[in-house]
Amino acid sequence: MPLLVPATLIVLVFLAAPLLILLRYSFNRFVPGQFMVEAFTLENYAKFFTDPYYFAVLRTTLLMSVGVTLACIVLAFPLAQVIARASPRSKPMLIILVIVPLFIGNAVRAAGWMVAFGQKGLVNTALAGLGIQPVTLMYTPAAVFFGIISVNLPYVVLTLQSVLEGIDAHLGEASQSLGAGRFETWRLVTLPLAMPGLIAAAVLSFILTMNAYATPLLLGGPQFQMMAPVVATTILSQNNWPFGASIAFILMVVTLCLTAAMNLIVARRYGR
Amino acid sequence: MATLRLDGLGKSYGDVTVVENVSLDVADGEFLVLLGPSGCGKTTTLRMIAGFVEASAGRVLIGARDVTGEPPYRRNIGLVFQSYALFPHLTVFENTAFGLRRRKIGEAEVKSRVERALALVRLDGLAARYPKQLSGGQQQRVAIARALVIEPDILLLDEPLSNLDAQLRIEVRSELRRLQKSLGITTIMVTHDQEEAMSVADRLVVLQSGRVQQVGSALDLYLRPANRFVAGFIGRGNFLEGVALEAGFRSAQGTVFPCGAPAGSVGTLLLRPEHVGLHRQQGHGMFAGRIESVRFLASSFDIAVVLAAGDRLQAQLPATPGAMRENWQAGDETFVAIDPAAMTLLQNDTGHADLNSQNQKGVSP
């Protein structure tokens, strides 16, 4: 038990305490020029839900998170299955290949894409060389979408792979011997048994996207807004701590609620 | 229910040949066991019949139907795995109904057939349980019910008893045998356990290094083993190298055994330990020797004897009251009697080089 003390302290001091302080801030009043005035008001929260601009930011963030998560699961599942069934010799190599992108930070990667996909970037230079009109790749929702997918994909692949690996390969063979085709076997045996891992992977991808900062900021451009960058701008550029804190809390609560709901629905659908 | 024919079946991975030219005809309703040590190709053969391993050569025919190129789910085969492979997320009922539902059978019929199958393996009443709530033996019976309920043409059993403890194994295998006979279903079982194989099989196929060594009933293989490998795998044996002369078989040590083999052939003499008799008094045709060691194994005594010329033989005496009174001790003088009819000469030209390198120490397990 004494061994738990340092971790508990770190969580209390560096996570719980700042959160509580931020929660308190979110009820303060923002008076331009005076920084922050002690108060106990819900007007910051009210502002978020009544101002169509901020509500649209939340909607964009949610759509992006759901879309990215679905795309990640669909893209990652076959790859995870291949890795899970790979021979003991090739498996470590495949896993390393999946992990390698994690060595590069999101910001560095996004910056690289700016170079590659900009109006005068690598891709458009190449296209121009072939006599093709330049295409707009940067600062579009699609750029953010694919950017976040590539950030999340390794996590999703590894989570799914570890669960798929635990499924006895004979189960699939038993299913086939009983007359189920490959897809039917996947749908009736593999998918239900992989469901716990699938939920975990989806939750991970959803949370990562809800809170994505560097990728939307660098690839989305000024027109495209998601929650985390808005929190940062509100606090850092506008110095509006109370409103920034309230946006942060709305983001946190929405993420928590949807994650819990997803867990419940899937758990009920697939049982134990 | 159908016949099964394997026609020159082979499997190689690159240069490595795992199964070579296996041809077998299995009669309708026959219980055939593929027997051999691990790595002999028996499981690969079974998986080629099931369709999970693509044959590199040859054909698999179920009845008149060539299924060599068919995927497993179109072969109508029942398969029971060593690990049972029950679907953990489905109840016993749904596990058993799985194959019927794939065949688009009406719910009422599914229900009655599943109930019948579960009654057959004496699991009625446990239909609502999940596999993890069952004992190993019960799980095995669900696996059997699940494979049988689809009325497969062929039932394949892959080491089905290996995960059960010794007591249960004997129980389940006699049940399996009874079930197989009453349903008259053509069955192929894979095992490395000779006793298990002999207790259920109509015919056994002994495999070694991917090749069929011999096919026959347990008694055939015991009495007329085709080579030393089969002799050592079905029952135990003393193996003496030597040459057949006019007077009989002369071992390398110089003992002459009066077996009626054609003179001049070089080979190995097989003497079953249970056919080696020990006596206190010299008699006609006996060999003088000395007891080297005695082990008591409840139902028998395992006794090592060294003959005057130096040949070492294992004798197995049933633990009768007479044998108890005899009370053989290491160091005792003894006279060894062997019925010449129980001496089998194995020609050396049959097996592979690696067969001859095994069992040099006389007795194989």
Side-chain angles (χ1 to χ4, degrees), chain A residues 168 170-182 184 187-189 192-193 272, chain B residues 47 52 72-73 77 79 81 83 85-89 98-99 102-104 130 146 150:
Chain A
D168 180 2
H170 284 147
L171 293 179
E173 294 183 351
S175 163
Q176 288 198 45
S177 78
L178 292 166
R182 279 174 206 287
E184 232 180 345
R187 182 174 66 84
L188 295 169
V189 179
L193 290 175
R272 42 196 79 227
Chain B
R47 291 174 64 78
F52 294 117
Y73 48 89
I77 274 175
L79 192 50
F81 294 89
S83 62
L86 297 179
F87 305 124
H89 59 302
F98 192 91
R102 306 286 75 74
R103 286 162 173 75
K104 310 268 179 276
Y130 282 87
R146 183 179 69 176
I150 58 171

Side-chain angles (χ1 to χ4, degrees), chain A residues 18-97:
Chain A
L19 268 179
L20 285 174
I21 294 169
L22 209 60
L23 181 63
R24 178 66 193 89
Y25 281 4
S26 72
F27 297 116
N28 280 344
R29 183 165 288 142
F30 175 69
V31 181
Q34 287 187 37
F35 184 51
M36 186 157 66
V37 178
E38 288 280 321
F40 208 86
T41 169
L42 287 173
E43 63 186 36
N44 296 308
Y45 291 96
K47 179 180 171 191
F48 184 90
F49 287 108
T50 48
D51 188 329
Y53 173 78
Y54 290 106
F55 201 72
V57 171
L58 179 61
R59 202 184 54 206
T60 306
T61 309
L62 281 171
L63 281 175
M64 185 61 76
S65 301
V66 172
V68 164
T69 299
L70 288 177
C72 276
I73 296 284
V74 171
L75 291 171
F77 211 107
L79 183 54
Q81 224 157 355
V82 167
I83 298 175
R85 295 277 169 262
S87 70
R89 224 173 339 148
S90 54
K91 186 178 287 179
M93 196 61 217
L94 291 171
I95 289 178
I96 287 170
L97 283 177

Side-chain angles (χ1 to χ4, degrees), chain A residues 181-241:
Chain A
R182 279 174 206 287
F183 177 73
E184 232 180 345
T185 294
W186 181 82
R187 182 174 66 84
L188 295 169
V189 179
T190 314
L191 185 60
L193 290 175
M195 204 37 85
L198 200 139
I199 297 167
V203 164
L204 195 63
S205 164
F206 184 78
I207 292 173
L208 283 172
T209 316
M210 285 296 283
N211 296 297
Y213 176 73
T215 315
L217 194 72
L218 295 173
L219 298 184
Q223 301 301 315
F224 185 82
Q225 292 296 341
M226 279 174 65
M227 290 290 275
V230 167
V231 171
T233 335
T234 310
I235 292 176
L236 299 176
S237 315
Q238 297 165 19
N239 253 330
N240 190 342
W241 278 83

Side-chain angles (χ1 to χ4, degrees), chain B residues 78-133:
Chain B
L79 192 50
V80 176
F81 294 89
Q82 182 179 350
S83 62
Y84 317 137
L86 297 179
F87 305 124
H89 59 302
L90 300 178
T91 59
V92 168
F93 183 93
E94 283 306 323
N95 262 282
T96 314
F98 192 91
L100 297 176
R101 297 206 193 284
R102 306 286 75 74
R103 286 162 173 75
K104 310 268 179 276
I105 286 167
E107 193 53 42
E109 197 190 334
V110 167
K111 196 160 183 295
S112 78
R113 279 172 73 173
V114 167
E115 277 167 3
R116 247 183 301 147
L118 290 178
L120 202 62
V121 296
R122 295 186 283 122
L123 279 179
D124 23 0
L126 298 183
R129 299 267 187 98
Y130 282 87
K132 66 177 173 222
Q133 298 169 305

